[in-house]
């Protein structure tokens, strides 16, 4: 697959935003989660949970797929649980270079790659400067995310590289809320309508 830019030009889109689970989120796949939305259109949405590590680290994952592990790679670089869809498939969200064998350009700064060549580059010590890897993704059908937003299941905030790549995993949930100036401990799960 060649590089493709995700485009939702003339419609409401939350692509590039974070979804932050509200306290009333009961779905165990998403309670306490922060999701980076890679794509959002009238057809549905696709994102990656960025604060839930799996039992695997990058060393174990690369070893499982027979890719050499570079010495310079941090020992505890986590592989994230990206969501309940296609949980056996890897997704790499990354900065430049943005074009690999199977990449979707999310925006001018980020791509989502699913091909082995990026993992082989990691094995050679040639990884993009900022990246995270997930197993699986979060997906919503047509109108499903909008319905969840209307039910106050999520808050949204524009994403930045700090929260995506540099904030420690255990601080991403509170950090995403802090971007809105909110302390999650003070929130209630009750919906309010004027």
């Amino acid at each position: 697959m060649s590089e493709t830019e995700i485009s939702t030009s003339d419609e409401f889109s939350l692509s590039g935003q974070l979804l932050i689970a509200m306290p009333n989120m009961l779905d165990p796949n998403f309670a306490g989660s922060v999701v980076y939305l890679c794509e959002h259109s009238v057809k549905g949405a696709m994102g990656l949970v960025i604060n839930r590590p799996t039992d695997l680290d990058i060393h174990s994952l690369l070893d499982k797929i027979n890719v050499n592990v570079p010495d310079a790679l941090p020992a505890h670089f986590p592989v994230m649980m990206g969501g309940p869809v296609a949980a056996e498939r890897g997704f790499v969200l990354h900065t430049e270079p943005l074009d690999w064998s199977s990449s979707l350009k999310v925006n001018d700064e980020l791509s989502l790659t699913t091909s082995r060549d990026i993992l082989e580059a990691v094995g050679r010590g040639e990884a993009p400067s900022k990246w995270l890897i997930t197993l699986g993704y979060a997906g919503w059908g047509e109108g499903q995310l909008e319905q969840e937003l209307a039910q106050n299941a999520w808050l949204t905030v524009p994403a930045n590289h700090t929260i995506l790549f540099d904030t420690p995993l255990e601080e991403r949930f509170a950090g995403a809320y802090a971007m809105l100036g909110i302390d999650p401990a003070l929130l209630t799960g009750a919906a309010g309508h004027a």
Side-chain angles (χ1 to χ4, degrees):
M1 178 192 301
S2 65
E3 179 183 23
T4 306
E5 181 156 5
I6 297 170
S7 175
T8 55
S9 56
D10 293 330
E11 58 193 53
F12 171 72
S13 176
L14 293 173
S15 297
Q17 299 269 321
L18 295 177
L19 295 178
I20 312 163
M22 288 287 287
N24 60 333
M25 177 64 72
L26 300 177
D27 184 334
N29 291 307
F30 298 108
S33 69
V34 180
V35 178
Y36 176 73
L37 276 180
C38 300
E39 181 177 23
H40 179 228
S41 72
V42 294
K43 296 178 183 177
M46 183 269 185
L48 303 173
V49 176
I50 63 163
N51 67 324
R52 288 236 173 106
T54 65
D55 295 344
L56 287 175
D57 62 21
I58 192 64
H59 288 263
S60 302
L61 179 66
L62 293 178
D63 190 51
K64 281 183 182 236
I65 62 171
N66 297 316
V67 171
N68 291 328
V69 179
D71 295 333
L73 197 61
H76 296 291
F77 192 98
V79 174
M80 307 306 298
M81 177 72 67
V85 182
E88 71 291 339
R89 189 165 179 201
F91 297 83
V92 182
L93 183 68
H94 59 89
T95 58
E96 293 183 349
L98 300 177
D99 53 345
W100 300 85
S101 294
S102 184
S103 292
L104 291 174
K105 188 174 177 187
V106 176
N107 57 41
D108 290 339
E109 299 177 343
L110 296 172
S111 279
L112 181 65
T113 298
T114 59
S115 52
R116 181 183 172 95
D117 58 342
I118 194 169
L119 296 177
E120 290 170 344
V122 168
R124 292 189 305 270
E126 300 169 3
S129 60
K130 303 278 186 179
W131 58 285
L132 65 84
I133 185 167
T134 73
L135 293 177
Y137 68 93
W140 292 265
E142 184 177 337
Q144 186 180 3
L145 180 58
E146 291 79 2
Q147 183 178 7
E148 291 180 14
L149 289 165
Q151 295 169 344
N152 296 321
W154 303 98
L155 289 176
T156 63
V157 64
N160 61 48
H161 287 204
T162 301
I163 196 83
L164 291 174
F165 303 113
D166 301 325
T167 303
L169 298 181
E170 65 277 4
E171 296 174 18
R172 288 182 181 177
F173 183 71
Y177 269 107
M179 292 169 65
L180 293 169
I182 297 172
D183 179 349
L186 302 177
L187 289 176
T188 177
H193 299 282

